[in-house]
Amino acid sequence: MGSLDLTGRTAIVTGASRGIGLATAQALATAGANVVLTSRRQEAADAAAESITGNVHGVAAHATDEQAAQRCIDITLDLFGSVDILVNNAGTNPSYGPVIEQDHARFAKTFDVNLWAPVLWTGLVTRAWMAEHGGAVINMASIGGMVLEPNLGLYNASKAALINLTKQLAVELSPAIRVNAVAPGVVRTKLAEALWKEQERQLSSAIPLARIGEPGDVASAVAFLASDAANWVTGETFVVDGGQRLGDAELFMAGELTHGH
């Protein structure tokens, strides 16, 4: 049985100054990994690193900036000598409303950060370390990439593409590199605040496990996929949503929901 211990390994987590990224950096550090986390600003990266118990270093790097990404990987190799785990966590959602009402700027930003950045970072770490030494890549998807929702079509399309990309990369980079994704439901983060802040009680009552997610719930799944405990898992998307995709729990128990929709 593979171990959950990450001692001696090094992880990069993008977009990790708060929320799921910060919790993921902490989970990986707790499991024994050296962690380099990124944020757009060095001050934010430093503050996040200082808040984590473990061997953690912060680097300023916008997720779509190739030079900054390469610099981050170089720093990681200089500090720790390897890049064994990459968590493509950075994400954005500047668009809201019907898809055809979104302009090109919102489209480009959404797909650059949510889809191009994982391609960019995965390619760089593959060439720098993982192709020769092996490794694990985890992409941060969303259950939105598996369903249809009003007003979130562009964001969800980017996450659906990321789920497909995860499978593609898993095949292209096998057997040296495992590539998986995590698809959270509604989690208590700033990015998802509009989805839960005004309706947390109502939303929680509809979820089978009766609460929205916490960043640590998702971080635990990432740590598992990064470890040897998942060493025969690749190309998969691990849903972490408290059962949200199963349908409204209250309606089900009342006999009003029969098909999980």
Side-chain angles (χ1 to χ4, degrees):
M1 187 173 75
S3 172
L4 291 164
D5 186 11
L6 297 175
T7 301
R9 300 186 194 182
T10 300
I12 294 175
V13 184
T14 66
S17 62
R18 64 188 185 206
I20 291 172
L22 182 60
T24 295
Q26 178 65 79
L28 296 174
T30 299
N34 308 309
V35 179
V36 172
L37 60 83
T38 77
S39 181
R40 284 174 291 181
R41 296 183 299 108
Q42 187 64 51
E43 305 82 45
D46 288 341
E50 289 168 9
S51 75
I52 293 174
T53 302
N55 204 7
V56 185
H57 185 76
V59 175
H62 192 287
T64 61
D65 184 333
E66 183 169 357
Q67 288 186 328
Q70 185 62 63
R71 173 175 167 270
C72 177
I73 292 165
D74 291 342
I75 289 171
T76 304
L77 289 171
D78 286 345
L79 283 174
F80 302 118
S82 68
V83 184
D84 309 288
I85 300 158
L86 170 66
V87 183
N88 287 309
N89 173 75
T92 191
N93 184 21
S95 66
Y96 186 81
V99 170
I100 61 170
E101 293 182 7
Q102 306 309 309
D103 58 24
H104 183 258
R106 290 188 180 94
F107 177 92
K109 182 176 181 180
T110 300
F111 276 78
D112 274 357
V113 174
N114 295 354
L115 194 66
W116 167 244
V119 173
L120 171 66
W121 285 78
T122 302
L124 291 174
V125 298
T126 295
R127 288 184 283 273
W129 180 264
M130 289 188 186
E132 183 177 352
H133 303 278
V137 175
I138 299 97
N139 296 322
M140 193 58 62
S142 168
I143 63 167
M146 303 174 175
V147 300
L148 300 177
E149 295 177 283
N151 301 313
L152 295 173
L154 204 58
Y155 173 81
N156 287 353
S158 73
K159 294 301 187 177
L162 183 59
I163 290 169
N164 187 275
L165 178 73
T166 297
K167 298 175 184 178
Q168 182 75 25
L169 289 173
V171 175
E172 290 186 5
L173 301 180
S174 64
I177 304 170
R178 296 185 300 104
V179 186
N180 291 289
V182 174
V186 178
V187 178
R188 194 186 309 279
T189 65
K190 186 174 179 62
L191 180 67
E193 198 170 54
L195 301 177
W196 60 265
K197 190 169 185 181
E198 302 297 329
Q199 54 187 2
E200 181 177 348
R201 181 176 295 179
Q202 179 184 355
L203 182 60
S204 296
S205 69
I207 296 172
L209 294 187
R211 65 176 177 86
I212 66 171
E214 301 293 342
D217 296 321
V218 184
S220 296
V222 175
F224 164 72
L225 289 172
S227 75
D228 286 345
N231 64 12
W232 208 47
V233 180
T234 197
E236 292 302 316
T237 298
F238 191 161
V239 175
V240 184
D241 70 348
Q244 185 178 340
R245 279 201 313 150
L246 301 175
D248 189 313
E250 285 194 332
L251 291 178
F252 180 87
M253 295 307 292
E256 298 176 28
L257 188 71
T258 57
H259 301 295
H261 299 295

